[in-house]
Amino acid sequence: TEAEAKKIALEQVPGAKDEDIREFKIDYDDGKLEYEGSIYYNELEYEFEIDGYSGAIRSWEVESIYD
């Protein structure tokens, strides 16, 4: 679910909370459900894609919010 996907993403960023999720959307990639979003925390941006069926993280990128 959407709540589970957010929880999975937040578990990767110790200290981050729901309000640190700045973008979050449901998407379909080649017909497969996925959740995409970004977390802004401690001057870093974490971008993620999570498989909507298995909960596996498909993509995870980290960069400074100043880039």
Side-chain angles (χ1 to χ4, degrees), residues 33-45:
L33 175 67
E34 70 179 17
Y35 298 98
E36 297 178 357
S38 60
I39 298 169
Y40 287 70
Y41 187 71
N42 281 345
E43 300 183 355
L44 294 173
E45 177 185 10

Side-chain angles (χ1 to χ4, degrees), residues 11-31:
E11 287 174 350
Q12 304 302 308
V13 185
K17 299 179 179 164
D18 280 339
E19 56 267 17
D20 296 312
I21 297 176
R22 299 290 172 93
E23 293 179 34
F24 190 85
K25 69 178 184 173
I26 298 169
D27 195 15
Y28 288 89
D29 185 23
D30 294 329

